[in-house]
Amino acid sequence: MNYNTVWQKIEELTPLRFDCGRLCGLYCCQSDSPTGGMLLFPGEEAVYAAHPEMALHRIELEGFGQGVLLVCPGTCDRSIRPLACRLFPLAPALEDGKITCRLDARGRYICPLCRDDTEALDPAFIEAAKQTYAWLYEQPETRLFVEYLCRVSAPGGDPLSFP
């Protein structure tokens, strides 16, 4: 899968019409542990082969299998942000067999936007995220991962656990 094409679907959009990192001091870009990072979509790690500043860790994801966690140095070239960063704080939700979006319950401790409702979010960002998740759900190589994200990002969903 060509992730550059997928990334372009939401390239210029952000959750708010201004840099939401100003609300939290870029908290979602920081990591306080070696296992703090963003999950990559299957095959997305190939994009980072030329970026040694981005650490990749293979991890076991309960209920899914093996996944890849990207840990960045705290700042990055925005043009190479992974999908998880581009879509945050929205996560996929499966409703009546269709993919939509909701606030990612895993973000409630780090993102002020996850503590509110989606009214503050840019409607264009929400629509682009819905379309991106729906497209990813239709792809055989990412469908099971999107279903996994639906489970773990739900309120009361299984928390991510790392060895």
Side-chain angles (χ1 to χ4, degrees), residues 91-152:
L94 191 55
E95 295 177 5
D96 300 323
K98 296 179 108 176
I99 289 291
T100 187
C101 290
R102 66 167 163 245
L103 288 170
D104 191 330
R106 298 170 299 167
R108 68 185 168 270
Y109 300 110
I110 64 166
C111 179
L113 299 176
C114 288
R115 295 181 205 119
D116 298 320
D117 57 37
T118 57
E119 287 181 22
L121 299 182
D122 181 354
F125 172 76
I126 294 171
E127 187 56 35
K130 283 181 188 176
Q131 290 176 10
T132 300
Y133 279 126
W135 186 84
L136 289 164
Y137 185 67
E138 296 302 320
Q139 307 311 304
E141 59 266 60
T142 52
R143 183 182 187 103
L144 291 176
F145 188 71
V146 171
E147 289 174 351
Y148 168 77
L149 291 177
C150 288
R151 290 190 308 274
V152 299

Side-chain angles (χ1 to χ4, degrees), residues 24-31 72-76 78 85 110:
C24 63
L26 299 171
Y27 195 79
C28 63
C29 295
Q30 310 304 314
S31 175
C72 74
T75 59
C76 71
R78 287 183 62 82
C85 294
I110 64 166

Side-chain angles (χ1 to χ4, degrees), residues 24-102:
C24 63
L26 299 171
Y27 195 79
C28 63
C29 295
Q30 310 304 314
S31 175
D32 56 1
S33 78
T35 58
M38 298 302 269
L39 287 174
L40 297 181
F41 279 73
E44 196 177 12
E45 69 273 13
V47 175
Y48 298 99
H51 298 280
E53 71 278 12
M54 305 290 212
L56 300 176
H57 301 279
R58 295 213 175 273
I59 59 172
E60 191 65 28
L61 300 171
E62 189 175 330
F64 178 74
Q66 200 162 89
V68 178
L69 187 74
L70 179 138
V71 180
C72 74
T75 59
C76 71
D77 175 349
R78 287 183 62 82
S79 69
I80 61 165
R81 287 174 299 148
L83 272 175
C85 294
R86 293 167 191 260
L87 295 166
F88 189 78
L90 296 179
L94 191 55
E95 295 177 5
D96 300 323
K98 296 179 108 176
I99 289 291
T100 187
C101 290
R102 66 167 163 245

